Amino acid sequence: MPYSDTTKINPTNHIKKSESLLHHQTNRSYNVKVGIYGWRKRCLYLLILGLMVMMIINLALTLWILKVMDFNMDGMGQLRIVPGGLQLLGQAMVLDSLYASTLRSRRGQPITIESSRNFSIVTRDDDGSPINRLYIGNDRMDCSTNSLRITDSRGVLLFSATPEAVEVGAESLKVTGQGGAVFGGSIQTPLVRASSGNQLMLESPTRSLEMRAAQSIGIESRAGDITASCLTSLKLQSVAGAIRLEASSVFMPKLKSALPLPPTTAHSRDPHHHDIYQLCACANGKLFLSSPHGICAAKEDSYICR
């Protein structure tokens, strides 16, 4: 059979058709949609919207806090930042502990520390152990320290208390209470004096009162009387000296007197004869009055010397 020209294959056309088919397949393989669609896209938008709302709320709250707390370039509200510390122009309420090296008021203004229950000040040593403590409560004040000193503005000691002794350095110690001062033991002082216009009384209600001195004891009243009273006996004793009563008049009232002798004719003429007596003493030391011309003695069984 003869070969027909129509059945011949044209290589050029075949190559062109192959390239067109390959190009069409390539375009179809890379035509893919990239992105988030559907419900994922809606969730992403909702998340972004929620974040934006939260950011706006946080910014508004921050601005509100700055406005309420009155933050500025110098500090916060009435609290100012100054060189060396903080300056408070009004009142401050401390809810917990306050640690500071110095608390000082403004010049010309007082400082007040107020607590609704109690107030404590504690100092510690280098190891952190408390060594001094001041406690102020509702009904008491306690001070715990090894040594307490109170001085005036010049540095002169006014009061000092240690475990060994208590010293009062002021010119005088005044006790203005009606009960006076009560001492459980002995007291040593160079002078006991009452304030001007008041009386001085040394009293021991249930026990004895004793005054001792290495040299002498002086009792002086410049504008009044001195009275010494006791329940049983008042003793004046001098071991190596004498007891001297120096006065223009010495009165001993309520002394017992012996029976006077019958008046004589010479004595009856004297109108002051009945006011004159002689002072006599019993064997036990009691004193009595007797007639000036009688025997200055009493019988052993006389009631005068009993």
Side-chain angles (χ1 to χ4, degrees):
M1 176 180 288
Y3 184 79
S4 176
D5 294 336
T6 58
T7 58
K8 291 182 180 180
I9 300 174
N10 192 352
T12 303
N13 294 333
H14 181 72
I15 293 172
K16 291 181 178 180
K17 291 181 179 180
S18 299
E19 291 177 356
S20 177
L21 181 60
L22 180 61
H23 179 71
H24 181 69
Q25 291 178 354
T26 303
N27 291 337
R28 290 184 59 185
S29 60
Y30 285 96
N31 191 11
V32 180
K33 295 181 179 181
V34 179
I36 300 175
Y37 300 94
W39 63 272
R40 295 183 179 88
K41 184 176 182 180
R42 290 191 293 270
C43 292
L44 179 61
Y45 287 163
L46 291 176
L47 179 61
I48 295 174
L49 181 61
L51 293 176
M52 291 180 63
V53 172
M54 292 179 62
M55 183 178 64
I56 294 173
I57 293 175
N58 288 334
L59 181 60
L61 290 176
T62 303
L63 295 177
W64 178 75
I65 292 174
L66 293 177
K67 179 64 177 178
V68 172
M69 301 299 294
D70 194 12
F71 280 96
N72 49 56
M73 299 299 296
D74 296 330
M76 179 183 66
Q78 296 181 348
L79 187 64
R80 299 287 187 265
I81 300 176
V82 297
L86 299 176
Q87 181 181 6
L88 181 65
L89 302 179
Q91 297 181 356
M93 181 178 294
V94 181
L95 301 180
D96 199 354
S97 301
L98 176 62
Y99 299 92
S101 59
T102 303
L103 291 177
R104 184 173 55 208
S105 64
R106 290 175 292 174
R107 179 174 298 179
Q109 298 293 329
I111 183 171
T112 303
I113 300 176
E114 182 178 353
S115 175
S116 60
R117 297 188 62 183
N118 54 65
F119 177 72
S120 301
I121 298 177
V122 180
T123 59
R124 302 178 181 273
D125 56 6
D126 297 336
D127 298 332
S129 301
I131 54 177
N132 298 314
R133 179 182 178 89
L134 177 62
Y135 172 83
I136 303 176
N138 295 330
D139 55 351
R140 62 188 178 94
M141 183 179 71
D142 297 337
C143 180
S144 176
T145 181
N146 293 327
S147 176
L148 176 63
R149 291 174 55 88
I150 300 176
T151 61
D152 59 3
S153 59
R154 300 172 299 174
V156 178
L157 179 64
L158 298 179
F159 181 82
S160 174
T162 60
E164 291 78 15
V166 176
E167 180 180 357
V168 179
E171 182 179 355
S172 61
L173 175 63
K174 295 182 180 180
V175 180
T176 58
Q178 296 181 359
V182 180
F183 299 94
S186 60
I187 175 174
Q188 182 177 355
T189 177
L191 177 63
V192 178
R193 181 177 57 191
S195 59
S196 178
N198 296 324
Q199 297 181 357
L200 175 63
M201 179 180 296
L202 301 178
E203 181 181 3
S204 178
T206 58
R207 294 295 185 268
S208 61
L209 177 62
E210 184 178 357
M211 291 186 294
R212 292 184 181 181
Q215 294 183 0
S216 62
I217 296 178
I219 301 176
E220 180 181 0
S221 177
R222 298 181 180 180
D225 300 333
I226 296 178
T227 303
S229 62
C230 62
L231 179 61
T232 56
S233 300
L234 178 62
K235 298 179 181 180
L236 299 177
Q237 181 179 0
S238 177
V239 177
I243 298 176
R244 301 176 61 181
L245 300 177
E246 296 183 3
S248 59
S249 300
V250 178
F251 296 94
M252 297 182 181
K254 300 181 180 180
L255 288 179
K256 297 179 180 180
S257 60
L259 294 177
L261 297 176
T264 61
T265 304
H267 295 164
S268 61
R269 297 175 183 176
D270 189 359
H272 303 286
H273 173 72
H274 61 279
D275 294 334
I276 299 176
Y277 298 94
Q278 60 177 335
L279 182 62
C280 303
C282 300
N284 55 7
K286 290 185 178 182
L287 301 178
F288 66 94
L289 300 178
S290 179
S291 176
H293 299 284
I295 300 175
C296 191
K299 297 180 179 180
E300 294 181 359
D301 56 347
S302 176
Y303 73 97
I304 295 178
C305 295
R306 293 178 183 176

